[in-house]
């Protein structure tokens, strides 16, 4: 295959190098296109644009393949723990027992928030969306821990990694407690990462909280399944902030903001709200599907479709498989799960969705599992963020040391008014 591409325009030729990745993906390097031709490319949503070279995650959307540092999501979700998968994403290799213990201890010993940060949570209205609190508190952490957050200092990057991994579950649990008016529950060092988060979320000072092993296992699997997904909207946001040499707290805070959108991580909340609408509506599921296909109707089926997967999202397949058993065990049959399964069956046999290769994505069933665990719907995107945190950290760290790194600054094509002269206000129509 050729390792050169050529663009011919106005009698001019531009040669561009073509290079190949580990899995045979090929790219045309247009780094000098504008300097040599005056041309820029136009690619809304960057669906055809590779922004970086990355060693972290590989996705083949046609074959529904997802691997982290070469390990399949099926194997990691079956055999790994969230802390071990986080180590793999951040450092590139599965840890030895000693490395894993050291990583786990560094996180465990950073889970407390400074006491003078607690009023920060009280300042929010009780009905504040927890993603707003999570994003604000993540950036605010850099003001309470100013000793080590220089992105150009490898030691500070290491300390910031532990602090973010350790403190975000505490921040998320405090945000939840703020919303329901219950006392904040402090982290416990005798519990593992997932157990500790569930304890901070659901325990009350008045009585012991018994962890349900099935809930712990289900949440551990969900966090692993959300851990990274290469250059999605929020990871690209984290990288863009990193490219200006801003600190990791600011970058992750921006990533949380991007994830919140209903087209991205906020979809897991929208899916359950949509299924509840279907359950309570006089209209049939088929009517909702017709609306989703109607270009004049803004309604879209949340939890379906994906920029990269043109096949069943492998994460959705794993979640669906586990969802049924977890939901049944925790709450018995859930009518929303039945509606979801029927909706999926109808959609996957509908030509509109088949032609556009729209399948269930990671958000379609995840919310139903969170709901069965007793987690409120507004917290679903927060759970997605906690899962995605090691991926964002890995993407930030890789961006930080990328030899090709430049500040992110896309070009545009201007389509506004041509030059015109200023008109004083008393002479305007
Ligand atoms: C995540 O990028 C990642 O990796 C993200 C993620 C991760 O782990 O980080 O996987 C997590 O964000 C999953 C996606 C969650 N979002 C939703 O479930 C929201 C519903 N889905 C859509 O809004 C949409 O599918 C997107 C946003 C996910 C993808 O949008 P694209 O790639 O820009 O696709 P598109 O909007 O151009 O759709 C192509 C066609 C269009 O129809 P035509 O113009 O060709 O006629 O498919 C249609 C769309 O109208 N379409 C849908 C649809 N999704 C796409 N029609 C009805 N319902 C839908 N859900």
């Amino acid at each position: 295959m050729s390792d050169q591409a050529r663009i011919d325009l106005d009698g001019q030729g531009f040669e561009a190098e073509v290079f190949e990745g580990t899995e045979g993906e090929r790219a045309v390097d247009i780094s000098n296109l504008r300097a040599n031709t005056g041309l820029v490319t136009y690619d809304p949503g960057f669906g055809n644009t590779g922004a970086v070279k990355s060693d972290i995650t590989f996705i083949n959307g046609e074959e529904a393949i997802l691997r982290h540092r070469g390990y399949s999501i099926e194997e990691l979700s079956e055999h790994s723990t969230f802390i071990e998968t986080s180590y793999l994403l951040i450092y590139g290799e599965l840890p030895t027992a000693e490395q894993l213990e050291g990583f786990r201890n560094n996180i465990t010993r950073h889970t407390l928030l400074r006491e003078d940060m607690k009023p920060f949570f009280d300042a929010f209205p009780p009905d504040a969306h927890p993603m707003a609190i999570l994003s604000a508190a993540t950036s605010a952490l850099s003001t309470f821990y100013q000793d080590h957050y220089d992105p150009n200092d490898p030691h500070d990057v290491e300390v910031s990694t532990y602090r973010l991994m350790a403190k975000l579950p505490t921040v998320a649990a405090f945000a939840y407690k703020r919303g329901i008016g219950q006392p904040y529950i402090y982290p416990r060092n005798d519990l593992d990462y997932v157990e500790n988060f569930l304890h901070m979320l659901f325990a009350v000072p008045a009585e012991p909280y018994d962890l349900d092993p099935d809930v712990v296992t289900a949440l551990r699997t969900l966090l692993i399944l959300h851990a990274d997904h290469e250059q999605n909207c929020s990871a690209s946001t984290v990288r863009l902030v990193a490219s200006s040499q801003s600190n990791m707290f600011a970058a992750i805070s921006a990533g949380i903001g991007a994830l919140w959108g209903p087209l991205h991580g906020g979809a897991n909340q929208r899916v359950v709200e949509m299924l509840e609408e279907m359950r309570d509506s006089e209209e049939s599921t088929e009517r909702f599907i017709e609306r989703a296909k109607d270009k004049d109707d803004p309604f879209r089926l949340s939890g379906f479709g994906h920029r990269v997967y043109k096949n069943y999202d492998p994460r959705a397949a794993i979640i669906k498989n586990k969802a049924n058993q977890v939901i049944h065990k925790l709450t018995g049959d859930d009518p929303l799960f039945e509606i979801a399964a029927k909706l999926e069956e109808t959609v996957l046999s509908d030509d509109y969705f088949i032609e556009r290769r729209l399948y269930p994505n990671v958000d379609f069933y995840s919310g139903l599992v969170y709901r069965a665990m007793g987690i409120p719907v507004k917290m679903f995107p927060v759970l997605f963020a906690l899962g995605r945190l090691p991926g964002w950290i890995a993407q930030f760290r890789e961006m930080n040391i990328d030899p090709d790194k430049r500040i992110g600054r896309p070009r545009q094509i201007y389509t506004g008014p041509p030059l015109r002269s200023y008109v004083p206000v008393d002479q305007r129509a």
Side-chain angles (χ1 to χ4, degrees), residues 19-38:
F19 63 92
E20 189 170 306
T22 312
E23 297 291 341
E25 300 160 300
R26 301 174 77 205
V28 182
D29 183 340
I30 57 164
S31 309
N32 299 311
L33 177 68
R34 190 173 186 279
N36 293 340
T37 68

Side-chain angles (χ1 to χ4, degrees), residues 59 226 228-229 231-234 259 262-265 267 271 292-293 295 299-310 313 315 352-353 356 358 361-363 384 388:
I59 301 173
H226 286 80
D228 189 58
H229 215 237
Q231 305 312 313
N232 57 83
C233 178
S234 54
L259 186 75
L263 295 188
H264 193 9
V271 167
K293 293 154 57 172
K295 293 297 169 233
F299 176 75
R300 287 288 174 274
L301 288 178
S302 279
F304 283 90
H306 199 278
R307 171 64 56 78
V308 176
Y309 289 123
K310 300 311 172 189
D313 184 330
R315 303 166 297 175
Y352 172 95
F353 295 90
R356 292 167 178 78
L358 302 173
N361 58 49
V362 68
D363 293 303
F384 193 140
R388 185 52 51 88

Side-chain angles (χ1 to χ4, degrees), residues 177 181-186 199-200 202-209:
K177 290 298 196 186
Q182 282 187 359
Y184 302 125
I185 298 297
Y186 282 60
H199 182 264
M200 291 189 288
F202 292 127
V204 289
E207 59 188 33
Y209 170 71

